[in-house]
């Protein structure tokens, strides 16, 4: 290769870098960690063992999916308070069939679009039955009729999906209401067929907007039931 060709290749490479940086500018993220003490760690490992049959030393995940949610709690602080304690409210340790691990998610987006990271992205959070072992959760404050999710939240979810999908090999982007479509999928690990909850979050309109803006990633379609 002569010098001119080399130079041209170099310029094309640099241009490529610049473009991808412009498209996937990392969003500003504020770390606001929930309690992850020995008890939460143990409960997470127990959840993985008992519900998924995964024997692990550390409660880590390999992200393959992003699941979007709403909290149906009107404020950031109240939403945070719901996820912060390691154990479920009213949990009774004597009921062995019910895991005491509290619900949470790796991300929480406030109504003005501010993004908070509650847990490292590769630590398991309990936010979606059957799929927690491979799913990063993004919770959005609000979601009630009086407090529908905001445009700022749509934008922040788009930024987060861009950021996470550039960082990890993400195959699926789903709304929580779609999770039961994975019941016969290889990724589905929940053993108890009776353990299901009905979900509508974060709404079809919200999903449509985030999907439309992130379609360059060519996520796999949600399986048919
Ligand atoms: Zn949800």
């Amino acid at each position: 290769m002569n010098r001119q060709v080399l130079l041209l290749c170099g310029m094309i490479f640099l241009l490529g870098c610049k473009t991808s940086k412009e498209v996937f500018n990392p969003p500003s993220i504020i770390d606001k960690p929930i309690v992850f003490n020995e008890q939460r760690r143990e409960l997470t490992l127990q959840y993985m063992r008992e519900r998924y049959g995964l024997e692990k030393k550390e409660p880590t995940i390999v992200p393959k999916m992003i699941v979007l949610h709403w909290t149906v709690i009107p404020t950031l602080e109240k939403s945070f308070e719901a996820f912060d304690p390691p154990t479920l409210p009213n949990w009774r340790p004597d009921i062995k069939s019910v895991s005491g691990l509290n619900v949470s998610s790796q991300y929480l987006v406030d109504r003005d679009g501010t993004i908070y990271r509650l847990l490292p992205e590769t630590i398991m959070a309990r936010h979606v039955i059957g799929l927690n072992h491979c799913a990063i959760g993004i919770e959005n404050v609000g979601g009630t009729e009086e407090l529908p999710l905001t445009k700022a939240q749509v934008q922040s979810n788009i930024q987060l999906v861009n950021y996470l999908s550039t960082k990890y090999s993400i195959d699926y982007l789903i709304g929580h209401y779609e999770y039961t479509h994975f019941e016969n999928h290889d990724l589905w690990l929940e053993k108890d067929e009776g353990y299901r909850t009905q979900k509508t979050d974060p709404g079809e309109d919200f999903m449509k907007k985030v999907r439309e803006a992130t379609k360059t990633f060519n996520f796999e379609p949600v399986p048919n039931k």
Side-chain angles (χ1 to χ4, degrees):
M1 236 187 290
N2 66 31
R3 257 189 75 175
Q4 271 153 334
V5 177
L6 262 177
L7 201 67
L8 191 68
C9 288
M11 277 169 67
I12 291 169
F13 176 76
L14 283 175
L15 265 173
C17 290
K18 192 164 181 287
T19 324
S20 63
K21 258 187 192 155
E22 273 167 9
V23 176
F24 304 124
N25 226 351
S28 43
I29 293 167
I30 299 171
D31 277 307
K32 188 174 168 66
I34 53 172
V35 171
F36 202 89
N37 55 9
E38 193 49 34
Q39 186 187 28
R40 197 169 205 140
R41 185 176 168 277
E42 281 301 326
L43 286 170
T44 308
L45 287 170
Q46 183 190 39
Y47 187 103
M48 293 175 120
R49 192 167 57 240
E50 289 177 2
R51 310 217 71 95
Y52 296 159
L54 296 174
E55 291 287 348
K56 290 178 69 95
K57 290 216 164 61
E58 296 301 327
T60 52
I61 66 167
V62 177
K64 298 239 163 279
M65 177 184 287
I66 299 169
V67 184
L68 308 187
H69 303 262
W70 60 34
T71 65
V72 196
I73 299 172
T75 65
L76 175 83
E77 281 314 315
K78 291 281 174 211
S79 299
F80 183 86
E81 281 169 24
F83 302 140
D84 194 32
T87 56
L88 277 179
N90 308 319
W91 173 50
R92 287 174 47 197
D94 54 317
I95 306 177
K96 284 271 183 296
S97 58
V98 180
S99 167
L101 176 65
N102 195 13
V103 294
S104 67
S105 66
Q106 287 82 357
Y107 282 97
L108 177 60
V109 179
D110 199 0
R111 302 193 52 74
D112 66 1
T114 308
I115 300 169
Y116 296 91
R117 182 162 41 207
L118 311 184
L119 279 177
E121 289 144 9
T122 53
I123 290 289
M124 195 190 92
R126 181 181 189 176
H127 61 98
V128 57
I129 292 169
L131 303 163
N132 290 308
H133 65 95
C134 65
I136 294 178
I138 303 174
E139 287 278 358
N140 290 276
V141 174
T144 57
E145 216 165 286
E146 305 79 57
L147 283 177
L149 299 187
T150 66
K151 281 183 184 161
Q153 285 172 314
V154 173
Q155 286 314 311
S156 293
N157 279 247
I158 291 167
Q159 284 188 5
L160 265 180
V161 170
N162 282 336
Y163 164 68
L164 294 170
S165 305
T166 309
K167 198 167 169 185
Y168 303 102
S169 175
I170 301 292
D171 296 329
Y172 295 95
L173 167 67
I174 70 165
H176 196 186
Y177 66 90
E178 295 169 308
Y179 83 99
T180 52
H181 285 255
F182 287 83
E183 282 174 340
N184 297 315
H185 192 282
D186 285 347
L187 288 174
W188 184 269
L189 293 186
E190 173 60 42
K191 291 175 171 181
D192 181 355
E193 286 187 24
Y195 178 44
R196 301 286 185 275
T197 47
Q198 280 271 352
K199 295 292 174 184
T200 56
D201 63 323
E204 286 183 30
D205 184 53
F206 191 87
M207 280 315 296
K208 215 165 134 186
K209 286 174 182 155
V210 178
R211 282 198 167 113
E212 179 62 30
T214 57
K215 61 183 175 192
T216 49
F217 289 103
N218 282 317
F219 297 117
E220 301 280 337
V222 175
N224 291 319
K225 281 195 93 172

